[in-house]
Amino acid sequence: DAGVTQSPTHLIKTRGQHVTLRCSPISGHKSVSWYQQVLGQGPQFIFQYYEKEERGRGNFPDRFSARQFPNYSSELNVNALLLGDSALYLCASSLGGGRGFNEQFFGPGTRLTVL
Amino acid sequence: RKEVEQDPGPFNVPEGATVAFNCTYSNSASQSFFWYRQDCRKEPKLLMSVYSSGNEDGRFTAQLNRASQYISLLIRDSKLSDSATYLCVVIEEGYKLIFGSGTRLLVRP
C-alpha cells in the first residue's frame, strides 16, 4: 500500500508569490494534518481537516489556508510568501474521527525555499 | 516558555552506550505522549508511545512523570543506526501533535 504522498518535493519561490502544496493520504484515511518544520526546529501544527471540514488551526496567519477534497486529498495554500516561510511542509494522514488519538503517518514533505 | 522543551544535543556516544533524553511539557492537561524519530531530511516516524507506568520496546524505554510534567527516553546498547533526531511529542485536543525541537543523537563506531 502506498504511504502518504506529497507534491512537489522541492519548490523555489520569490517573496510575494503564492504556492500550493498537495497531499494524498493513505487509502482509507479521512483526516489530513499539515505541519511546518523550520530548520533546526520540530514540526509546528498548521491545520487539520477531517471529512472535508477544518477541525483545528494552529497559530499561523491568514495567508495560510487549506482545503480537503471529496477523495480526502488536501491542498495547503500560502499567499504573499515571506522569507520566513522557507521550511519543510509535512502532511500527515490518520484514520480520523472517533475518540482518542489516531496515529498520524507523515509524508516525505515539500521543501519550500523563498528567495 | 515553549510548550515542549528538549535538550537539543547533540549527544555523541560510542556504539553500545546507554543514552537518555529528557523532555518537559507545560500543559498539565495533556493526556497523550510519544517519541518520534526523524532521520536527516526525512519525515518523522512514530517510535513509541509513553505511558505513566513506563513502557519498553526492545532497547528503548520510555517513562512519564505527570507530577513533574517530564518525559524520558532511554536507549540501551546504542547502534550506529540509532543516529537520528528524537522528537518529544505531546497531544493536545486529541489530535494536535505538539513537537519539541528535537534532540540529536550521533552514535560513533
Side-chain angles (χ1 to χ4, degrees):
Chain A
D1 268 349
V4 179
T5 59
Q6 291 186 244
S7 62
T9 54
H10 296 82
L11 202 52
I12 299 175
K13 292 284 190 178
T14 56
R15 281 178 295 176
Q17 284 190 310
H18 159 270
V19 68
T20 297
L21 310 181
R22 295 177 175 84
C23 171
S24 291
I26 292 170
S27 177
H29 284 192
K30 298 182 178 180
S31 181
V32 169
S33 301
W34 288 96
Y35 294 82
Q36 180 196 64
Q37 187 173 23
V38 173
L39 194 63
Q41 299 294 317
Q44 189 173 358
F45 175 79
I46 310 176
F47 286 110
Q48 187 181 83
Y49 277 76
Y50 172 65
E51 287 283 14
K52 302 177 286 294
E53 297 289 327
E54 182 182 302
R55 188 179 183 188
R57 183 187 183 110
N59 187 23
F60 279 81
D62 291 344
R63 299 185 296 108
F64 288 77
S65 63
R67 54 181 177 167
Q68 188 177 33
F69 299 99
N71 66 353
Y72 302 109
S73 67
S74 178
E75 282 183 355
L76 175 69
N77 295 284
V78 187
N79 293 323
L81 285 167
L82 303 174
L83 295 179
D85 294 331
S86 296
L88 179 67
Y89 288 85
L90 293 160
C91 172
S93 84
S94 60
L95 288 169
R99 299 183 66 183
F101 173 70
N102 291 287
E103 182 179 348
Q104 296 184 19
F105 297 84
F106 284 86
T110 294
R111 192 164 298 277
L112 172 65
T113 302
V114 182
L115 301 176
Chain B
R1 182 185 173 190
K2 287 186 178 179
E3 293 177 85
V4 180
E5 297 210 43
Q6 294 183 249
D7 180 342
F11 285 63
N12 191 325
V13 302
E15 269 187 293
T18 294
V19 61
F21 306 138
N22 303 319
C23 165
T24 57
Y25 60 96
S26 60
N27 186 350
S28 59
S30 298
Q31 293 295 315
S32 301
F33 310 89
F34 301 87
W35 283 100
Y36 273 69
R37 170 191 169 130
Q38 186 171 27
D39 293 296
C40 188
R41 305 186 75 81
K42 298 285 191 179
E43 71 274 22
K45 292 185 179 178
L46 179 63
L47 178 66
M48 61 194 302
S49 304
V50 187
Y51 303 116
S52 296
S53 54
N55 50 298
E56 192 173 303
D57 183 1
R59 298 180 292 109
F60 298 82
T61 301
Q63 294 275 356
L64 167 65
N65 184 323
R66 287 189 185 272
S68 302
Q69 294 178 211
Y70 171 95
I71 304 163
S72 66
L73 177 68
L74 183 77
I75 305 175
R76 291 181 300 278
D77 188 24
S78 298
K79 310 291 184 191
L80 295 177
S81 57
D82 293 334
S83 296
T85 296
Y86 291 83
L87 296 159
C88 178
V89 179
V90 173
I91 306 303
E92 290 198 356
E93 299 178 43
Y95 63 91
K96 293 182 187 177
L97 301 184
I98 308 299
F99 287 84
S101 295
T103 299
R104 193 169 167 213
L105 172 65
L106 302 172
V107 181
R108 64 181 187 270

